[in-house]
Amino acid sequence: QVQLVESGGGLVQAGGSLRLSCAASGIIFSIGSMGWYRQAPGKQRELVAAITRSGSTDYADSVKGRFTISRDNAKNTVYLQMNSLKLEDTAVYYCNADILLRLGTRFSAYWGQGTQVTVSS
């Protein structure tokens, strides 16, 4: 059973920083792209940042220059460093990973349970 476990969310004042972590566990052959999504109340889930296994990154325009995604392939872990947080960054943040369980199968998308990030004024 593969699990993605997120940590690092919480309450922070505007302008502050938080670092999210997401570790994949279970019997895993390989992990492809990993990413962070977020969903605010009443809004659709949106991509925040993504990173390929080789380290290429992509960011939503709203977080460019403030958020940094990184990963540690040896630990099957992805991180999201969030700086200069704004009120509009408040949301539940979800980790996503494309995981190959064994050779001969396909990559499948897995999701974490979500972690709340609340930015206060």
Side-chain angles (χ1 to χ4, degrees), residues 1-41:
Q1 184 79 4
V2 172
Q3 282 190 314
L4 298 182
V5 179
E6 300 132 334
S7 60
L11 175 64
V12 63
Q13 285 193 324
S17 298
L18 281 175
R19 188 188 194 214
L20 306 183
S21 299
C22 172
S25 63
I27 300 176
I28 297 171
F29 182 80
S30 180
I31 300 179
S33 293
M34 304 183 81
W36 289 94
Y37 289 71
R38 67 186 180 187
Q39 188 167 19

Side-chain angles (χ1 to χ4, degrees), residues 50-58 69-71 73:
I51 184 167
T52 66
R53 184 170 182 82
S54 61
S56 296
T57 59
D58 188 30
I69 189 170
S70 62
R71 63 189 287 172
N73 290 331

Side-chain angles (χ1 to χ4, degrees), residues 5-10 12 16-23 34-39 46-51 57-60 62-72 77-85 89-96 115-117 119:
V5 179
E6 300 132 334
S7 60
V12 63
S17 298
L18 281 175
R19 188 188 194 214
L20 306 183
S21 299
C22 172
M34 304 183 81
W36 289 94
Y37 289 71
R38 67 186 180 187
Q39 188 167 19
E46 63 175 356
L47 175 67
V48 175
I51 184 167
T57 59
D58 188 30
Y59 295 93
S62 59
V63 307
K64 283 180 180 176
R66 300 188 297 121
F67 290 10
T68 302
I69 189 170
S70 62
R71 63 189 287 172
D72 184 333
T77 300
V78 63
Y79 306 96
L80 185 68
Q81 178 66 44
M82 305 185 292
N83 298 329
S84 303
L85 282 161
D89 294 319
T90 295
V92 178
Y93 284 69
Y94 296 92
C95 171
N96 168 269
T115 185
Q116 177 71 45
V117 172
V119 184

